[in-house]
Amino acid sequence: MHLGVIGVIRGLLGFGSKSKICQGVNTKQDDHVYIRGNIADRGPCPALNALSNQGYLPRDGKNITLPEVEAVLKSALHFNGPLASNLTRSLRPLLRKDGTFDLFDMRKHDVIEHDASITRFDFRQGDNYTFQPALFEAFLADADGGPVTIKTLAKTYNRRKKESRAAGSPRLPLSLWFVNLLQTVSLLNTAQTGNALQKDLLVEFYTEERIPDVILQNQKTRTLFGLVTKALSLLFHTIF
């Protein structure tokens, strides 16, 4: 998922933050046992993959509706209205005529998926959706043995930008450049673990595609303002 510039502005000003449809989400713990789904039916977004692996979204990753996604972001990940609705709106280009999409559809290049991902290769490298262990290890190495922070994310962001260009990938268009900034800090904003991400949380989220309990059980509201603030801080550290 991603937020574009216009979506962020609308969200911060309070436009379009109310859902027309609100679907209930089953939050019984027994119904959310982690079962890793088939990679053939998954996309490049570890968060949505994880929500399917844990039964918050359809476990097969198919025929998902936007109201389902928005409701889950609010109930399971504790997103506020503007953040949940604007992230959900970004999925509209993937919808079929019946109003549904599959996680697989997120592999379509430069719609949701884009180059210079932290843990996935670029489109021109032939596989833009499979998790790459070597890239993940480089991501951890950028933190020099400590937790991942805004400053270490800036190091990762700049490194992946250089690697993407070295692979022959074109520069990201302005809209996706902004999306990339937001996505780079999205887990930090969602985790709400004191502006630092410990290795065990990162391993669970990226390698297992599972939402850690420390996130699910933390009732603190995640906001669009918080996400944008972290993205601007990231931008500062990538420059300076």
Side-chain angles (χ1 to χ4, degrees):
M1 295 179 293
H2 71 249
L3 279 170
V5 177
I6 295 177
V8 165
I9 295 173
R10 284 169 55 90
L12 291 175
L13 294 178
F15 299 123
S17 63
K18 295 183 179 179
S19 305
K20 294 182 179 180
I21 302 175
C22 184
Q23 295 184 343
V25 176
N26 185 355
T27 57
K28 293 181 179 179
Q29 190 63 36
D30 290 346
D31 295 332
H32 298 298
V33 174
Y34 170 78
I35 303 173
R36 187 69 178 262
N38 187 346
I39 185 62
D41 298 323
R42 296 301 194 237
C45 178
L48 289 188
N49 289 348
L51 290 169
S52 286
N53 289 340
Q54 290 166 273
Y56 291 100
L57 293 174
R59 287 189 179 274
D60 63 1
K62 299 179 180 179
N63 300 311
I64 302 171
T65 68
L66 297 192
E68 280 181 304
V69 174
E70 183 169 349
V72 165
L73 294 179
K74 291 178 178 178
S75 63
L77 299 184
H78 319 293
F79 286 8
N80 71 352
L83 181 57
S85 63
N86 281 281
L87 282 171
T88 301
R89 188 178 296 113
S90 72
L91 298 169
R92 286 179 177 173
L94 302 178
L95 294 181
R96 295 182 287 263
K97 290 183 178 180
D98 66 356
T100 68
F101 72 99
D102 300 340
L103 295 181
F104 180 91
D105 299 329
M106 299 183 73
R107 300 181 186 184
K108 188 174 181 180
H109 185 52
D110 278 353
V111 177
I112 301 296
E113 180 279 331
H114 59 78
D115 292 335
S117 163
I118 288 176
T119 60
R120 288 167 173 79
F121 287 147
D122 289 358
F123 177 76
R124 70 175 290 115
Q125 294 175 288
D127 180 353
N128 65 338
Y129 60 89
T130 303
F131 171 80
Q132 300 296 329
L135 290 181
F136 180 67
E137 290 301 321
F139 171 41
L140 296 179
D142 288 335
D144 296 322
V148 167
T149 64
I150 289 286
K151 289 184 178 181
T152 72
L153 284 171
K155 183 177 180 180
T156 300
Y157 179 91
N158 285 334
R159 174 178 55 79
R160 286 297 295 134
K161 182 169 67 173
K162 291 178 181 177
E163 291 171 351
S164 180
R165 295 306 305 280
S169 300
R171 294 181 183 275
L172 293 176
L174 182 61
S175 59
L176 287 178
W177 166 81
F178 185 66
V179 165
N180 195 18
L181 282 175
L182 292 171
Q183 287 185 336
T184 301
V185 297
S186 61
L187 180 58
L188 193 65
N189 189 63
T190 300
Q192 292 293 318
T193 51
N195 291 322
L197 299 169
Q198 300 296 330
K199 181 179 179 179
D200 57 348
L201 183 150
L202 294 166
V203 169
E204 188 171 358
F205 180 74
Y206 283 108
T207 70
E208 300 177 22
E209 293 193 325
R210 182 204 304 243
I211 306 295
D213 287 342
V214 69
I215 295 177
L216 296 171
Q217 295 171 4
N218 182 351
Q219 299 291 322
K220 183 176 181 179
T221 301
R222 282 69 164 171
T223 69
L224 177 59
F225 179 79
L227 178 64
V228 173
T229 299
K230 288 179 175 62
L232 293 176
S233 179
L234 172 68
L235 179 59
F236 174 84
H237 287 294
T238 61
I239 298 172
F240 302 103

